[in-house]
Amino acid sequence: LHVTCEVIHKGLDSPLYYHAMRLVRLYQFLEDRTLWMVDADALVNANPAILHERLRGDVGIRVRPGRTQPWNCFSAALVAATPRSKEYFRLVAAYLVHFIAQGQFTWGMDQMALYGVYQYLPRKPALTLWGPADFDVNTCRADAPFWFTAGAFKKEYAAGTATPPAAQEKYWSLFR
């Protein structure tokens, strides 16, 4: 496991910076091996090797069926990048740096960059898509390799200042 640390300039120390900059760092570290990026609040529930074995494309990404807004089609909760995807992630990083440099942070810009760049490219990277059968969001399904969370009160649930719904209690208990 390799861990990186970043010292940032005052004024950039916001969650919006971190949620977008992680894709820039993914591009910067992408060389000759496949890299995986998982949300900081994701929990590993089972061996994720099954997802690695299913990675057939240049990019692996979690998708959310039924979502039509461009910033919701591709989820940045789990992204796999192979060396063949370097050009795609270079453009994703450039998109994000452009808006970060102008101080135009918006929640979801990480996912908008992933989707927008994919739509823009005439020669698209091959995708491996992971969907609801591969993950669990909020209900802690026993066979899911990763558990993710979502919702308006997740900061309060993480801090223990609000009680999560019963279906989410197992996730938040393990998270804390």
Side-chain angles (χ1 to χ4, degrees), residues 48-64:
I50 190 167
L51 298 179
H52 184 71
E53 291 166 4
R54 288 188 40 228
L55 181 60
R56 302 284 186 257
D58 305 326
V59 174
I61 197 156
R62 177 180 166 225
V63 292
R64 298 193 240 180

Side-chain angles (χ1 to χ4, degrees), residues 23 59 61-63 68-76 87-96 99 108-125 127:
L23 286 167
V59 174
I61 197 156
R62 177 180 166 225
V63 292
T68 57
Q69 307 96 334
W71 57 89
N72 267 329
C73 292
F74 286 3
S75 171
E87 179 61 13
Y88 169 70
F89 282 104
R90 182 187 71 77
L91 292 173
V92 168
Y95 176 107
L96 293 168
F99 289 105
M109 68 188 279
D110 56 342
Q111 295 176 172
M112 184 61 217
L114 289 167
Y115 183 75
V117 168
Y118 182 79
Q119 291 300 325
Y120 166 80
L121 285 174
R123 189 165 167 241
K124 299 178 183 343
L127 294 177

Side-chain angles (χ1 to χ4, degrees), residues 1 11 21 27 36 48 66 78-80 83 85 89 93 107 109 140 152 159 165 175:
L1 176 65
M21 188 51 73
Y27 162 70
W36 292 70
L78 175 72
V79 176
S85 66
F89 282 104
W107 195 255
M109 68 188 279
C140 301
F175 180 83

Side-chain angles (χ1 to χ4, degrees), residues 1-171:
L1 176 65
H2 298 274
V3 177
T4 63
C5 177
E6 176 180 14
V7 176
I8 61 170
H9 301 287
K10 187 156 180 68
L12 292 178
D13 54 348
S14 82
L16 295 175
Y17 172 84
Y18 290 115
H19 102 277
M21 188 51 73
R22 63 193 177 140
L23 286 167
V24 175
R25 300 297 179 239
L26 180 72
Y27 162 70
Q28 291 172 329
F29 286 104
L30 184 58
E31 294 295 333
D32 59 352
R33 63 188 166 273
T34 298
L35 298 179
W36 292 70
M37 183 185 68
V38 180
D39 272 356
D41 60 359
L43 298 176
V44 178
N45 176 59
N47 188 341
I50 190 167
L51 298 179
H52 184 71
E53 291 166 4
R54 288 188 40 228
L55 181 60
R56 302 284 186 257
D58 305 326
V59 174
I61 197 156
R62 177 180 166 225
V63 292
R64 298 193 240 180
R67 304 279 178 110
T68 57
Q69 307 96 334
W71 57 89
N72 267 329
C73 292
F74 286 3
S75 171
L78 175 72
V79 176
T82 70
R84 296 180 311 273
S85 66
K86 187 115 173 143
E87 179 61 13
Y88 169 70
F89 282 104
R90 182 187 71 77
L91 292 173
V92 168
Y95 176 107
L96 293 168
V97 167
H98 170 79
F99 289 105
I100 289 170
Q102 295 182 33
Q104 294 180 335
F105 296 82
T106 59
W107 195 255
M109 68 188 279
D110 56 342
Q111 295 176 172
M112 184 61 217
L114 289 167
Y115 183 75
V117 168
Y118 182 79
Q119 291 300 325
Y120 166 80
L121 285 174
R123 189 165 167 241
K124 299 178 183 343
L127 294 177
T128 297
L129 304 177
W130 295 298
D134 301 305
F135 300 101
D136 188 79
V137 179
N138 289 331
T139 59
C140 301
R141 201 177 75 234
D143 64 336
F146 290 100
W147 291 346
F148 295 101
T149 189
F153 298 104
K154 74 183 209 176
K155 289 181 185 175
E156 290 82 359
Y157 299 156
T161 59
T163 304
Q168 296 179 29
E169 184 55 45
K170 185 174 182 182
Y171 172 92

